[in-house]
Amino acid sequence: MKVAVLGAGGFIGSHLVEHLLHQTDHQVLGVDVTDEKLANVDTTGMTFHLGDVTKSPELLEEAVASSDCVVNLVAYANPSLYVTEPIQVVDLNLHGNLLVVDACRRHKRRIIQFSSAEIYGKPREGETAFIEDETDFTYGPVHRQRWIYANAKQMLERILFAYGTSGELAFSVIRPFNVIGPRLDYLVPAGTLGGPRVFMHFMSALLSGGPIHLVDSGTATRSFTHANDAARGITAILEQPERANNQAFNIGNPSNNLTIRELADRMIRIYEKLTGTRSECEIINISGETFYGEGYDDAGRHPPSIEKMAGLGWTPKYDLDTTLTMTIEHHLQHADTSKAANAS
């Protein structure tokens, strides 16, 4: 197939591109507003367009019309933005993505749409895992704007399902669970509040000497997934449309589930082992609203059920220590530590 990867220059996109180019025979058309994450990837054989498909109708039409399948990773995925720029989050994650969905519908192209584990919202008592076709979505009150991201993703999924039910569109939805690995996000200055995902906050603190902020004492739980496992999972869905169409799939590793406090402790231990240097990071408890802004809300998160993905022949290979070690090693080797040295 010729696969259009929208968001090819991002973290997950760069790993998917690398996997498709070197582990499959598919052709790849990459599109993104940046190619930064592709700088150290062998992209021989890929056609790449620099641009924004949500603002360039011509680019979107060309990418969709010339492909057999579209993998859409276009999104904002930053908890700080959910509370500080909620309209911007909806504009891209819902309205911008609907432009891609509509183009796929008109050109009769299959779409693999990225959603989020956040779509499940708050875990309900008595549940032990998030199950794609069974778990109800439970969010906080409307003034807790953190949930606007999950609501935008949910609405997008419901529109996809409506088109699929009517026979107007073939689609698959991916709900990823905390994907990490080499090339993840970006460093931030020491003491920064808000910003990138939790791993990169802790990584920045380790490189700069801290502090490590634990939001609401770090009691929330997350399941971490290696980017290479995610790329294999996306490919399994891509290559089995007869079994994957018009369905949602969790891609995650339920064995890699732990609290954020445990994540901090585990990262410190691995960092000290890799560097032979004792971490000087102070661990500071901080409220979610102080760290992310007014309107933040959070809860623990169940691990994913991955029975549906197992039905496609996929299971994760990377355990937690391996996943964390490979990601930390990459940032030790490639990070510009000056970016994490001093708060601006």
Side-chain angles (χ1 to χ4, degrees):
M1 289 179 284
K2 186 173 184 179
V3 183
V5 180
L6 310 184
F11 164 59
I12 295 178
S14 68
H15 283 274
L16 176 60
V17 165
E18 189 172 37
H19 181 79
L20 291 175
L21 289 174
H22 300 290
Q23 303 298 325
T24 78
D25 293 326
H26 303 307
Q27 300 176 58
V28 179
L29 169 64
V31 184
D32 208 334
V33 296
T34 177
D35 59 357
E36 180 182 358
K37 302 289 187 183
L38 295 170
N40 296 312
V41 176
D42 179 3
T43 57
T44 302
M46 179 180 73
T47 302
F48 184 81
H49 294 297
L50 193 66
D52 186 343
V53 293
T54 69
K55 296 178 180 178
S56 174
E58 298 82 4
L59 179 58
L60 176 59
E61 290 295 309
E62 178 184 351
V64 173
S66 64
S67 65
D68 299 306
C69 181
V70 175
V71 180
N72 185 20
L73 294 127
V74 175
Y76 288 129
N78 183 325
S80 293
L81 288 177
Y82 309 162
V83 298
T84 61
E85 300 290 344
I87 299 303
Q88 185 177 338
V89 169
V90 171
D91 279 344
L92 181 62
N93 291 354
L94 178 58
H95 303 304
N97 275 266
L98 283 176
L99 298 174
V100 179
V101 171
D102 185 61
C104 290
R105 181 184 60 83
R106 288 185 287 101
H107 288 284
K108 300 189 182 302
R109 297 295 190 265
R110 181 183 178 217
I111 182 172
I112 297 176
Q113 175 66 54
F114 261 66
S115 183
S116 170
E118 293 236 350
I119 197 171
Y120 292 107
K122 299 184 177 185
R124 301 174 70 179
E125 188 174 351
E127 295 175 335
T128 57
F130 287 144
I131 304 173
E132 297 95 331
D133 302 325
E134 298 180 19
T135 300
D136 291 332
F137 302 154
T138 306
Y139 303 139
V142 70
H143 69 277
R144 296 295 186 182
Q145 292 205 109
R146 186 260 170 70
W147 300 110
I148 200 167
Y149 170 78
N151 274 267
K153 289 290 191 179
Q154 179 190 166
M155 193 63 205
L156 182 62
E157 282 200 28
R158 293 192 184 279
I159 292 170
L160 283 165
F161 270 85
Y163 279 138
T165 300
S166 68
E168 295 183 61
L169 181 70
F171 75 91
S172 297
V173 164
I174 291 174
R175 298 172 183 165
F177 280 69
N178 293 88
V179 180
I180 65 173
R183 303 193 293 274
L184 177 66
D185 289 347
Y186 52 92
L187 292 172
V188 294
T192 294
L193 303 184
R197 284 168 273 205
V198 61
F199 179 96
M200 288 309 300
H201 269 290
F202 291 177
M203 189 72 239
S204 298
L206 288 169
L207 290 171
S208 65
I212 287 178
H213 290 108
L214 285 184
V215 172
D216 298 328
S217 300
T219 57
T221 52
R222 295 291 185 268
S223 298
F224 290 89
T225 311
H226 197 290
N228 291 346
D229 279 335
R232 289 191 304 106
I234 300 165
T235 304
I237 291 170
L238 172 71
E239 294 180 339
Q240 300 180 70
E242 70 286 350
R243 302 174 69 182
N245 273 354
N246 297 5
Q247 297 184 65
F249 294 88
N250 293 332
I251 290 184
N253 191 333
S255 298
N256 291 354
N257 194 63
L258 76 172
T259 68
I260 299 304
R261 176 58 193 248
E262 290 170 335
L263 172 68
D265 292 339
R266 190 78 65 99
M267 287 183 64
I268 290 171
R269 177 175 60 79
I270 293 173
Y271 173 85
E272 290 179 341
K273 180 179 179 181
L274 290 174
T275 63
T277 303
R278 183 173 178 78
S279 170
E280 297 180 357
C281 289
E282 179 184 5
I283 296 180
I284 299 175
N285 289 322
I286 189 171
S287 72
E289 291 210 340
T290 300
F291 190 80
Y292 287 114
E294 186 177 353
Y296 182 77
D297 194 15
D298 200 4
R301 182 180 296 164
H302 290 321
S305 166
I306 55 173
E307 289 186 15
K308 287 184 71 175
M309 284 301 301
L312 300 181
W314 176 91
T315 55
K317 294 181 178 180
Y318 293 84
D319 64 21
L320 182 61
D321 273 0
T322 301
T323 300
L324 293 176
T325 298
M326 290 179 68
T327 312
I328 292 171
E329 280 181 326
H330 171 84
H331 288 287
L332 288 173
Q333 294 169 4
H334 299 285
D336 179 358
T337 55
S338 65
K339 294 181 180 180
N342 297 290
S344 56

